[in-house]
Amino acid sequence: MQEVAAPILWAMGLELIDVTCSGQGQRTIVRVYIDKPGGVSLHDCEQAHMSLGPALDVADPIPHAYTLEVSSPGLDRPLKTLADYQRVMGRLVNLKLAQVREGQWRVVGRLTAVDEQGLSLTLREGKTDRSIQLGWEAIAGGRLEVEFSK
């Protein structure tokens, strides 16, 4: 499905973030998550839906009826790729760790560096900051942490 959707979305100035399928039979829901610099609008989602629907019908990746949904990944979007982490540089992230580190399975910090080896975070501990480095193998998953301005 991604092979069909990605080039269509790219031509529209949109990035394919993820495709998920849930449900069974005719209750299957195919969710396509899109993004672009500055965020996606309802109009972007509508246009993507109108373009993807016929293309997926022709490619026929699912042999029965399904519901197609197109949306943005949301404020607390999962971070999966190097590009995802680079895109949120300087923002607060919530990482699930592959192993316990200092008695914790999760760490929340400001993303300060990202490269092929891993990333660096600044952790707020009381009134002081502390930097840590994590290799990609140490990270089981990540999400953008929603921040509210004061």
Side-chain angles (χ1 to χ4, degrees), residues 25-30 52-53 56-57 61-62 64-68:
Q26 294 188 359
R27 294 181 186 211
T28 301
I29 298 173
V30 175
L52 291 175
L56 291 174
D57 288 345
I62 298 177
H64 51 74
Y66 60 90
T67 300
L68 175 63

Side-chain angles (χ1 to χ4, degrees), residues 53-141:
L56 291 174
D57 288 345
V58 169
D60 202 21
I62 298 177
H64 51 74
Y66 60 90
T67 300
L68 175 63
E69 294 181 0
V70 178
S71 70
S72 74
L75 291 176
D76 63 343
R77 66 184 290 167
L79 303 170
K80 296 184 176 189
T81 66
L82 177 63
D84 288 342
Y85 285 93
Q86 289 172 332
R87 187 181 302 109
V88 298
M89 182 70 68
R91 307 264 313 267
L92 205 58
V93 295
N94 184 327
L95 303 179
K96 180 179 180 185
L97 303 175
Q99 296 180 15
V100 174
R101 181 183 169 115
E102 298 174 8
Q104 301 293 316
W105 281 101
R106 288 200 171 273
V107 62
V108 177
R110 191 147 318 268
L111 191 57
T112 57
V114 179
D115 62 25
E116 291 76 22
Q117 284 72 48
L119 53 81
S120 297
L121 295 175
T122 298
L123 308 179
R124 186 83 172 155
E125 296 176 339
K127 293 185 179 189
T128 62
D129 292 340
R130 176 173 65 105
S131 292
I132 64 166
Q133 286 74 41
L134 296 169
W136 293 117
E137 71 285 348
I139 302 168

